[in-house]
Amino acid sequence: EIVMTQSPATLSVSPGERATLSCRASQSVSSDLAWYQQKPGQAPRLVIYDASTRATGFPARFSGSGSGTEFTLTISSLQSEDFAVYYCQQYNNWPPWTFGQGTKVEIK
Amino acid sequence: QGQLVESGGGVVQPGRSLRVSCAASGFSFSSYGLHWVRQAPGKGLEWVAVIWYDGSKKYYADSVKGRFTISRENFKNTVYLEMSSLRADDTAVYYCARDWQVGKFDIWGQGTMVTVSS
């Protein structure tokens, strides 16, 4: 089973600033990596897939990068609606499909 | 774009069974695999099970293997998760999610809460 590790657990950022979230896989997942956004009381939403492709409905301030075992989600200028928990997930080696433990992006 | 709506959650005693359902609309249900993903209170996401578009393949997380069964009825646009021998650590919100290109979850339901407690 591939273990996904996210850091930091919590990121405190002021509106308008950049947020950089990290995700590490225990073995290579190539570019088979997705990011999800989850707001309180809501279901997750797909943000990024194939490590760097934005999903429908997400603006260009969201970007993903990386391959192999190291990945990054960057939100270039945080807006109020971006404060949420973000999860990475690999789909290279399955089952199981595995998620990181999440990074909470909170208002500083 | 499509929608998924879960139902059937509730409070159940340890050792008992419960079936949750997920009804789909707005897309060609029989063309897609469906996953169940759960989230314990205050915790992260855990993949539970998947069923292929035609029901030909099913996979389960080790934590539920032998206790949970996933199934689907394409003529009803519905996927099910039959949960037996329930334990306290099965307490979670259960989401169904559409599979896109084998492993991306592009549509999620709103979830149904299952609480295992005496």
Side-chain angles (χ1 to χ4, degrees):
Chain A
E1 172 177 330
I2 296 179
V3 177
M4 307 301 292
T5 304
Q6 292 185 241
S7 61
T10 303
L11 189 61
S12 298
V13 185
S14 299
E17 291 188 341
R18 173 188 296 258
T20 302
L21 291 65
S22 296
C23 175
R24 174 176 293 179
S26 60
Q27 65 188 73
S28 176
V29 297
S30 186
S31 295
D32 298 332
L33 190 285
W35 291 92
Y36 299 85
Q37 175 193 70
Q38 187 178 34
K39 298 180 180 179
Q42 296 184 18
R45 288 179 63 197
L46 179 64
V47 182
I48 296 284
Y49 61 91
D50 296 346
S52 61
T53 303
R54 266 192 322 277
T56 303
F58 282 88
R61 64 179 181 270
F62 288 87
S63 63
S65 63
S67 66
T69 62
E70 300 284 344
F71 300 89
T72 300
L73 174 67
T74 302
I75 311 171
S76 59
S77 177
L78 273 161
Q79 305 299 303
S80 57
E81 60 268 28
D82 302 334
F83 291 96
V85 178
Y86 292 85
Y87 295 93
C88 62
Q89 175 241 336
Q90 67 82 22
Y91 45 92
N92 178 262
N93 191 308
W94 49 264
W97 288 261
T98 50
F99 294 87
Q101 79 278 20
T103 291
K104 180 180 181 181
V105 179
E106 64 175 24
I107 300 175
K108 186 175 182 181
Chain B
Q1 171 70 354
Q3 186 178 13
L4 298 170
V5 178
E6 300 92 337
S7 61
V11 180
V12 60
Q13 292 180 331
R16 304 297 292 266
S17 299
L18 188 69
R19 188 179 79 164
V20 292
S21 304
C22 171
S25 61
F27 65 94
S28 179
F29 181 76
S30 60
S31 298
Y32 290 89
L34 271 296
H35 296 261
W36 286 96
V37 177
R38 68 184 180 182
Q39 186 170 37
K43 302 298 184 182
L45 302 170
E46 179 189 17
W47 173 79
V48 173
V50 64
I51 186 167
W52 250 229
Y53 69 100
D54 58 356
S56 61
K57 295 183 180 180
K58 305 174 185 180
Y59 297 102
Y60 299 91
D62 286 347
S63 59
V64 307
K65 200 173 294 182
R67 301 187 300 121
F68 289 13
T69 301
I70 191 170
S71 61
R72 64 189 295 160
E73 291 184 304
N74 282 351
F75 71 99
K76 288 187 175 180
N77 285 1
T78 301
V79 64
Y80 306 97
L81 187 68
E82 182 78 38
M83 302 179 287
S84 63
S85 302
L86 281 161
R87 313 186 301 222
D89 62 358
D90 294 318
T91 294
V93 175
Y94 284 75
Y95 295 101
C96 62
R98 189 178 79 168
D99 181 275
W100 180 44
Q101 296 179 352
V102 193
K104 288 166 275 202
F105 307 149
D106 67 333
I107 299 174
W108 295 67
Q110 86 290 349
T112 188
M113 182 71 205
V114 173
T115 302
V116 183
S117 174
S118 55

